[in-house]
């Protein structure tokens, strides 16, 4: 057989700390308690079994018994992710510090065989578990794939040449089957961050409608449209000025882009949240600086080195931030938020509600004259211009300085939410925040857990941008642990990172398993016209139309109960897991619960009683699925109750 693939790389060590762009081999005897390498989430790994084949790939993989793991970072990690496949064969030599991955057609066939086995087992598990999937269609497709594979396997046994086209066709069919094995639910956030006119097609009402229609078709039910962007607004603002990206658009009888976008989206039953980059206002290029900053340069955040422009900050390179301590800045932003709150928005999202990223004193910021004098005054020292000198080798003072700046961000959030709610009490406040709460507090000076605990926030959208499933699960657990059922928690998914499309879906499923109530994808330009991702979503996890958990109670009950009744009719009755009498009883109970209206305590109590009696009437898996759906609904209703109680 001819070699289909060969990749040669150099290793940088064995059982050592993995550095930037390094490839390290970890041996079985050095595994940690979790049977892993213990590396961070910024790399990519492949596990090798005793047959020297790749048996698992991912951010963090587990050791095969007595096998090894090869862990790569940076560009090498990307190579591992993109080029190495399960089933590839490894040759390595510690003498030459080299590794070679090879792949023949028969290796690809072996991978397909294992994938067929995996999907067959998953299909059986889901069918016996009475999940809501089209099993007749799925089993037919799998049977066709198996028959095709058997022909390929016969050719391998006979040592015949195999067309790579046939192999690729089998791989594609298996991929299509796999995406249909992600269950779809009817209540979850399916959000997307959207930059207006980012593709240059939203100069007209027809252009806006086309973009929103494409999102709707995929299954998106809420759009976070970038409204305060580089210090300008996509509303026709008297305060922040109209953004040039939409300034010359023709939006008919609408006042501006934002009012047109909101109205068109609402007609499609999609929510619109104004995504605002609070303290981030532009970049070092003149065209990126908002005109209103002229004469107000003292509003700009100042770095430790004395400039207004962030340097050495990776994704923040060249950015300009505002000073969160300055009362003039606060007044300006509050005036803008009050202006924005008059629009028919479902929510306003606070993003960049923080300081620039800082790892240490030299990368810190906030050194405006106002902030330094105010800090010195608060700690009981005379006003002075030598704060930077005082901070040198004084960890206690630097901690106080961090807490001072962090406090001003939190104070602004409290003030902004209060003023927004005065204008529109029903508008939802969401936050796009650093995903790990401790890192957010220490590195971004963003104490978002305190905002949540003080009842200021309705929706948390942590930017959990990672390909590490365990990391995402951990972020959702932390978020839920902090919020304790008083916020709707939607996980930020980094589609911009351009992982294989199915990985994005696995991340959404990981969030769902930890009781994340949905996701928000960053961003629309990585969804619109992206046929592969759209197909993965529409044919799988977004197959059913869904409403958001923050929808009104009446609609939540109606949609949830109708979905359960539909599954009883199509699945549980057909499988004889419930009786017709049970079906009549549960429909009667649903109608009674709906009559309780907005009395959440009674509504939740009745659902709890229904959960308790279901085991008397439903068998095994039907019982599990029914209870699962009702507990999920109850969880969402409890959030509404908790929020209501906090307002008293």
């Amino acid at each position: 057989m001819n070699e289909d693939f060969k990749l040669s790389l150099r290793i940088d060590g064995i059982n050592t700390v993995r550095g930037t762009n390094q490839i390290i081999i970890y041996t079985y005897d050095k595994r940690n308690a979790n049977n892993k390498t213990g590396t961070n989430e910024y790399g990519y790994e492949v596990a090798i079994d005793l047959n020297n084949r790749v048996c698992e790939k991912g951010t963090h993989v587990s050791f095969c018994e007595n096998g090894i793991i090869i862990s790569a970072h940076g560009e090498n990690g990307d190579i591992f992710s993109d080029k190495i496949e399960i089933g590839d064969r490894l040759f390595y030599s510690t003498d030459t510090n080299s590794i070679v991955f090879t792949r023949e057609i028969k290796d690809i066939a072996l991978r397909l065989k294992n994938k067929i086995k995996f999907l067959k087992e998953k299909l059986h598990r889901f069918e016996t578990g009475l999940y809501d999937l089209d099993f007749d269609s799925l089993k037919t497709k799998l049977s066709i794939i198996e028959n095709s594979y058997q022909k390929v396997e016969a050719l391998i046994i006979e040592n015949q040449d195999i067309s790579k086209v046939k192999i690729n066709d089998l791989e594609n069919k298996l991929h299509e089957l796999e995406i249909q094995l992600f269950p779809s639910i009817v209540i979850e956030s399916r959000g997307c961050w959207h930059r207006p006119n980012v593709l240059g097609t939203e100069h007209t009402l027809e252009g806006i409608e086309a973009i929103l229609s494409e999102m709707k078709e995929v299954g998106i039910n809420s759009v976070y449209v970038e409204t305060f962007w580089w210090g300008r607004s996509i509303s026709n603002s008297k305060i922040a000025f109209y953004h040039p990206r939409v300034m010359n658009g023709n939006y008919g009888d609408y006042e501006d882009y934002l009012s047109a976008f909101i109205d068109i989206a609402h007609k499609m039953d999609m929510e619109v949240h104004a995504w605002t980059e609070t303290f981030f206002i532009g970049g070092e290029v003149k065209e990126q600086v908002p005109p209103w900053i002229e004469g107000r340069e003292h509003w700009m955040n100042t770095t430790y080195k004395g400039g207004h422009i962030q340097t050495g900050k990776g994704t923040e390179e060249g950015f300009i931030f505002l000073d969160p301590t300055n009362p003039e800045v606060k007044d300006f932003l509050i005036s803008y938020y009050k202006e924005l709150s008059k629009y028919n928005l479902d929510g306003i999202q606070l993003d960049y509600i923080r300081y620039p990223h800082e790892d240490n004193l030299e990368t810190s910021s906030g050194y405006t004259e106002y902030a330094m004098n105010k800090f010195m005054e608060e700690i009981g020292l005379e006003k002075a211009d030598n704060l930077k000198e005082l901070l040198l080798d004084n960890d206690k003072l630097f901690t106080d300085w961090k807490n001072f700046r962090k406090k001003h961000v939190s104070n602004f959030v409290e003030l902004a939410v209060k003023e927004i709610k005065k204008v529109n009490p029903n508008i939802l406040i969401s936050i796009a925040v650093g995903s790990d709460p401790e890192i957010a507090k220490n590195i971004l000076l963003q104490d978002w857990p305190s905002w949540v605990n003080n009842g200021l926030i309705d929706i948390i959208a942590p930017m959990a941008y990672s390909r590490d499933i365990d990391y995402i699960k951990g972020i959702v657990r932390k978020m839920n642990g902090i919020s304790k059922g008083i916020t709707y928690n939607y996980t930020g998914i980094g589609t911009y990172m351009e992982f294989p499309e199915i990985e994005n879906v696995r991340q959404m499923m990981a969030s769902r398993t930890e009781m994340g109530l949905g996701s928000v994808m960053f961003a629309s330009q990585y969804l619109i016209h992206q046929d592969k991702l759209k197909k993965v979503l529409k044919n799988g996890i977004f197959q059913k139309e869904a409403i958001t958990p923050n929808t009104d109670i009446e609609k939540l009950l109606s949609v949830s109960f109708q979905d359960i009744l539909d599954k009883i009719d199509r699945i549980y009755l057909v499988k004889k897991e419930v009786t017709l009498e049970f079906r009549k009883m549960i429909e009667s109970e649903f109608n009674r619960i709906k009559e309780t209206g907005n009395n959440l305590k009674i509504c939740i109590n009745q659902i709890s009683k229904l959960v308790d009696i279901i085991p008397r009437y439903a068998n095994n898996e039907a019982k599990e699925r029914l209870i699962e759906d009702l507990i999920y609904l109850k969880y969402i209703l409890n959030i509404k109750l908790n929020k209501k109680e906090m307002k008293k």
Side-chain angles (χ1 to χ4, degrees):
M1 293 266 180
N2 291 328
E3 212 165 53
D4 179 66
F5 167 82
K6 184 175 182 179
L7 175 67
S8 301
L9 298 164
R10 289 185 61 79
I11 59 172
D12 297 287
I14 299 177
N15 294 325
T16 62
V17 175
R18 187 191 65 201
T20 303
N21 288 322
Q22 285 190 334
I23 299 175
I24 305 296
I25 292 178
Y26 293 94
T27 57
Y28 186 72
D29 59 309
K30 300 297 182 181
R31 67 195 186 281
N32 66 14
N34 295 321
N35 197 36
K36 297 181 185 291
T37 60
T39 54
N40 61 34
E41 71 271 18
Y42 302 114
Y44 201 82
E45 299 179 341
V46 293
I48 311 297
D49 64 19
L50 285 178
N51 295 317
N52 286 328
R53 288 192 183 275
V54 176
C55 55
E56 185 184 357
K57 55 183 284 190
T59 307
H60 286 137
V61 297
S62 299
F63 280 95
C64 299
E65 188 171 358
N66 292 317
I68 63 172
I69 288 175
I70 308 179
S71 187
H73 177 271
E75 293 178 0
N76 285 317
D78 293 338
I79 291 171
F80 272 38
S81 168
D82 297 340
K83 297 187 178 298
I84 298 173
E85 298 289 351
I86 292 173
D88 289 353
R89 188 182 295 274
L90 171 73
F91 300 90
Y92 78 97
S93 168
T94 53
D95 294 332
T96 59
N97 292 327
S98 66
I99 53 175
V100 179
F101 291 95
T102 64
R103 182 189 312 146
E104 296 180 352
I105 291 291
K106 63 181 181 182
D107 297 324
I108 301 173
L110 177 63
R111 184 174 78 246
L112 294 181
K113 183 178 183 178
N114 291 333
K115 189 64 171 283
I116 289 170
K117 180 183 177 184
F118 168 77
L119 293 180
K120 194 171 185 177
E121 291 171 350
K122 186 174 183 180
L123 187 59
H124 176 72
R125 186 171 69 252
F126 278 10
E127 184 177 26
T128 56
L130 301 185
Y131 285 90
D132 189 10
L133 296 168
D134 185 356
F135 291 105
D136 289 341
S137 172
L138 291 169
K139 285 191 290 186
T140 298
K141 291 176 182 177
L142 184 57
S143 178
I144 293 171
I145 292 170
E146 280 190 289
N147 289 336
S148 298
Y149 174 76
Q150 287 169 4
K151 293 176 182 177
V152 169
E153 190 173 47
L155 291 174
I156 292 174
I157 293 171
E158 296 170 6
N159 204 29
Q160 299 280 331
D161 285 337
I162 304 168
S163 167
K164 191 176 179 183
V165 174
K166 288 183 179 179
I167 290 288
N168 289 341
D169 182 56
L170 274 175
E171 284 191 296
N172 292 334
K173 287 178 179 177
L174 277 171
H175 178 74
E176 290 176 7
L177 181 65
E178 184 177 10
I179 67 176
Q180 294 176 58
L181 276 171
F182 290 102
S184 186
I185 60 178
V186 295
I187 301 174
E188 70 175 346
S189 169
R190 297 173 183 171
C192 188
W193 281 292
H194 175 61
R195 293 205 150 119
N197 211 21
V198 70
L199 300 177
T201 59
E202 294 173 79
H203 294 295
T204 63
L205 296 176
E206 291 77 13
I208 294 175
E209 185 173 0
I211 288 289
L212 285 169
S213 294
E214 191 168 344
M215 290 188 192
K216 177 71 175 179
E217 183 185 4
V218 173
I220 300 300
N221 56 23
S222 50
V223 184
Y224 295 76
V225 60
E226 196 162 19
T227 305
F228 186 63
W229 178 18
W230 293 84
R232 297 175 178 87
S233 183
I234 64 157
S235 63
N236 197 1
S237 172
K238 297 176 182 177
I239 297 167
F241 302 108
Y242 212 8
H243 198 291
R245 187 66 69 86
V246 293
M247 186 181 295
N248 298 317
N250 179 6
Y251 304 116
D253 294 332
Y254 291 101
E255 178 185 358
D256 50 24
Y257 173 94
L258 181 60
S259 56
F261 192 92
I262 294 169
D263 192 43
I264 294 170
H266 282 172
K267 287 176 180 176
M268 297 182 187
D269 291 325
M270 299 168 74
E271 295 178 6
V272 178
H273 300 253
W275 163 28
T276 63
E277 298 175 337
T278 309
F279 293 124
F280 165 48
I281 61 163
E284 58 186 320
V285 179
K286 184 178 180 181
E287 290 74 18
Q288 295 173 342
V289 179
W292 51 260
I293 200 67
E294 187 174 349
R296 297 163 168 168
E297 285 78 9
H298 60 289
W299 287 12
M300 290 192 273
N301 200 341
T302 305
T303 68
Y304 181 79
K305 296 178 181 178
H308 294 313
I309 297 169
Q310 298 298 314
T311 57
K313 291 292 187 72
T315 57
E316 293 177 0
E317 185 70 26
F319 283 12
I320 296 173
F321 285 72
L322 293 174
D323 175 12
T325 71
N326 191 314
E328 294 177 6
V329 168
K330 294 177 183 178
D331 289 344
F332 174 85
L333 291 172
I334 293 296
S335 295
Y336 175 72
Y337 280 121
K338 289 169 72 173
E339 179 187 74
L340 193 59
S341 302
K342 295 175 183 177
Y343 283 78
N344 187 28
L345 288 160
D346 298 283
I348 291 178
Q349 182 173 86
L350 308 178
D351 188 10
Y352 282 97
I353 187 77
R354 61 176 178 83
Y355 275 81
H357 182 281
E358 65 180 55
D359 294 309
N360 49 44
L361 178 61
E362 286 193 1
T363 59
S364 64
S365 66
Y367 299 92
T368 62
E369 182 178 352
Y370 179 86
M372 290 192 290
N373 286 334
K374 186 69 175 173
F375 173 66
M376 299 290 271
E377 179 185 322
E378 286 193 10
I379 63 173
L381 296 176
E382 292 185 8
K383 294 183 179 181
D385 60 3
N386 65 337
L387 174 61
K388 295 179 186 178
E389 295 177 14
L390 293 174
L391 288 170
L392 290 171
D393 300 319
N394 191 331
D395 293 341
K396 170 64 168 61
L397 188 63
F398 187 50
T399 298
D400 291 342
W401 172 235
K402 290 182 79 166
N403 289 335
F404 165 81
R405 291 175 291 151
K406 186 163 48 184
K407 176 188 70 176
H408 275 274
V409 174
S410 294
N411 289 347
F412 175 78
V413 171
E414 183 175 3
L415 180 61
V417 172
K418 180 180 177 182
E419 293 301 319
I420 289 169
K421 294 284 188 176
K422 280 183 183 178
V423 179
N424 186 346
N426 297 318
I427 204 163
L428 297 169
I429 304 297
S430 64
I431 47 174
V433 288
S435 55
D436 187 287
E438 290 306 312
I439 293 175
K441 281 192 280 189
N442 294 324
I443 304 298
L444 306 177
L445 310 187
Q446 185 183 66
D447 185 14
W448 62 261
S450 71
W451 315 341
V452 171
N453 293 330
N454 290 333
L456 300 172
I457 307 303
D458 300 299
I459 297 171
I460 310 175
M463 294 170 280
Y465 302 155
S466 171
R467 70 188 313 156
D468 185 354
I469 295 296
D470 290 336
Y471 174 80
I472 290 171
K473 286 182 177 180
I475 291 302
V476 178
R477 285 195 293 268
K478 288 179 182 179
M479 174 170 54
N480 288 342
I482 288 165
S483 65
K484 296 182 176 65
I486 59 173
T487 57
Y488 306 102
N489 298 338
Y490 307 148
T491 309
I493 301 294
T495 50
Y496 79 97
M497 302 176 84
E498 298 184 298
F499 302 147
E501 292 77 13
I502 203 162
E503 286 197 31
N504 296 134
V505 177
R506 289 178 182 137
Q507 292 169 5
M508 294 175 190
M509 284 299 299
S511 171
R512 192 191 284 178
T513 60
E514 299 297 332
M515 289 304 284
L517 297 177
S519 58
V520 188
M521 291 180 282
F522 184 78
S524 62
Q525 63 266 39
Y526 302 96
L527 174 68
I528 302 300
H529 307 332
Q530 303 299 313
D531 291 340
K532 286 185 179 179
L533 178 57
K534 286 163 55 181
K535 185 176 182 180
V536 166
L537 295 172
K538 186 178 177 181
N539 293 343
I541 195 170
F542 288 178
Q543 193 171 106
K544 287 185 177 182
E545 187 174 350
I547 59 173
T548 63
N550 50 268
T551 302
D552 64 84
I553 298 166
E554 183 180 350
K555 192 169 184 180
L556 279 173
L557 294 176
S558 177
V559 168
S560 180
F561 291 162
Q562 184 54 50
D563 181 59
I564 291 171
L565 290 172
D566 177 57
K567 286 186 286 193
I568 289 174
D569 291 339
R570 289 186 296 104
I571 305 170
Y572 313 146
L573 275 172
V574 173
K575 296 287 187 180
K576 297 182 180 181
E577 292 285 324
V578 299
T579 64
L580 190 58
E581 288 71 25
F582 169 78
R583 202 273 187 207
K584 292 176 181 177
M585 181 274 291
I586 202 168
E587 183 174 21
S588 175
E589 289 297 312
F590 285 168
N591 289 333
R592 192 160 65 87
I593 292 170
K594 285 192 284 187
E595 288 173 2
T596 62
N598 288 332
N599 193 322
L600 277 166
K601 285 187 178 180
I602 294 176
C603 182
I604 292 168
N605 186 51
Q606 288 181 343
I607 291 172
S608 296
K609 289 180 179 178
L610 191 55
V611 167
D612 290 338
I613 67 172
I614 280 176
R616 301 182 207 166
Y617 300 96
N619 298 327
N620 302 322
E621 283 74 19
K623 173 189 68 178
E624 296 298 324
R625 299 289 79 76
L626 287 163
I627 290 174
E628 185 178 75
D629 285 344
L630 289 172
I631 287 178
Y632 182 73
L633 174 61
K634 182 179 162 185
Y635 180 79
I636 294 168
L637 294 175
N638 267 313
I639 294 173
K640 294 185 180 295
L641 178 61
N642 293 338
K643 293 178 72 62
K644 189 175 181 180
E645 294 291 324
M646 283 194 75
K647 292 179 181 178
K648 289 183 179 179

